[in-house]
Amino acid sequence: MADQPKPLMPHATATWLIDNTGLGFEQIAEFCGLHILEVQAMADDLAGSKYTGRDPLHSGELTQEEIAKGEKDSDYALVMQKAPVEVTRTKGPRYTPVSKRQDKPDGIAWILKSHPEVSDAQISKLIGTTRNTIGAIRERSHWNIQNIQPKDPVTLGLCSQRELDAVVAKAAKKAGLAEDAEAVAASNTSDREKLIEELRAERDANEKAAAEAVQEAEAAEWLANKRAEEEAGDPPAAG
């Protein structure tokens, strides 16, 4: 059932179903909204990430009776019993896992270097940091400044590429850089067209010169042949 809601933690739920039920991979994949190859890789311990199982019975997303139906009939599609409560983000800085927090300064330094048009407020919201930290990195007064290396925050896992692109686009538009970029593009197009015209004119001139050279050569050859014929002709009769 493609239109029914998916578990709150699909990978963790799939892990639990693999370990604790006799459901088929296709049933688990369909219920969790995953590709069957993902489920197979998790079952074979080939997945790049290891997930702690999440019991869908405890959350009310499934019942033991529903699981039993699926185990009995491999073609049976599991039905979500209780849709997960949608988690909405509250106001405040973005939460970053402890393992990623040490990467924040590197991500901040990258944005400051690559996109100076982005405001401190935007960086703070995107990365989940404070303006004091941003200011310290910008002014190179941060306590660990010697070890901070600018690194793409997307690569570091601090934000998504879509989020970063949206922030950069918004900042560029506000700073008028978008118009500048369009002007530069227009200028580049104009220069390109001008160069094409120059090359075209040069080609036409070369073709004309070549044609004139051929005509001159043909004329010279004709004249030479004419003179040769006259010189080889009979001398005029004596009077």
Side-chain angles (χ1 to χ4, degrees), residues 65-177:
E65 290 75 18
E66 188 66 16
I67 291 176
K69 290 180 183 179
E71 292 174 328
K72 186 176 181 180
D73 180 3
S74 60
D75 292 328
Y76 180 75
L78 298 174
V79 177
M80 177 74 70
Q81 302 299 299
K82 178 184 176 183
V85 178
E86 183 178 355
V87 178
T88 57
R89 182 180 169 188
T90 58
K91 292 184 177 180
R94 171 193 296 270
Y95 172 77
T96 305
V98 175
S99 60
K100 296 289 184 182
R101 292 178 190 175
Q102 60 186 8
D103 296 330
K104 284 186 178 183
D106 292 345
I108 295 169
W110 185 91
I111 296 176
L112 291 175
K113 178 180 179 181
S114 304
H115 299 286
E117 70 276 12
V118 177
S119 68
D120 288 4
Q122 289 175 310
I123 298 175
S124 177
K125 185 176 180 180
L126 180 68
I127 302 297
T129 186
T130 66
R131 298 193 185 190
N132 288 338
T133 299
I134 299 170
I137 294 173
R138 175 185 285 108
E139 297 166 4
R140 300 190 63 77
S141 60
H142 190 278
W143 66 272
N144 195 33
I145 193 65
Q146 297 302 323
N147 296 317
I148 295 177
Q149 299 293 330
K151 295 178 183 177
D152 189 339
V154 175
T155 303
L156 295 174
L158 297 172
C159 64
S160 69
Q161 187 64 56
R162 179 178 298 179
E163 290 172 327
L164 177 61
D165 290 345
V167 168
V168 171
K170 185 176 181 180
K173 183 177 181 180
K174 185 175 181 179
L177 298 181

Side-chain angles (χ1 to χ4, degrees), residues 14-87:
T15 298
W16 189 93
L17 293 173
I18 291 170
D19 294 339
N20 297 278
T21 72
L23 295 169
F25 291 160
E26 290 187 8
Q27 292 172 301
I28 297 175
E30 182 178 358
F31 177 75
C32 295
L34 305 174
H35 194 284
I36 187 173
L37 294 180
E38 284 188 272
V39 178
Q40 290 176 335
M42 293 165 67
D44 295 335
D45 289 331
L46 299 178
S49 301
K50 305 300 180 183
Y51 297 94
T52 301
R54 176 176 180 270
D55 184 356
L57 300 177
H58 180 74
S59 65
E61 294 172 349
L62 279 177
T63 62
Q64 191 61 56
E65 290 75 18
E66 188 66 16
I67 291 176
K69 290 180 183 179
E71 292 174 328
K72 186 176 181 180
D73 180 3
S74 60
D75 292 328
Y76 180 75
L78 298 174
V79 177
M80 177 74 70
Q81 302 299 299
K82 178 184 176 183
V85 178
E86 183 178 355
V87 178

Side-chain angles (χ1 to χ4, degrees), residues 201-219:
E202 183 179 349
R203 182 195 63 188
D204 293 343
N206 290 336
E207 290 178 352
K208 183 178 180 180
E212 291 176 349
V214 170
Q215 290 178 352
E216 291 177 358
E218 291 176 346

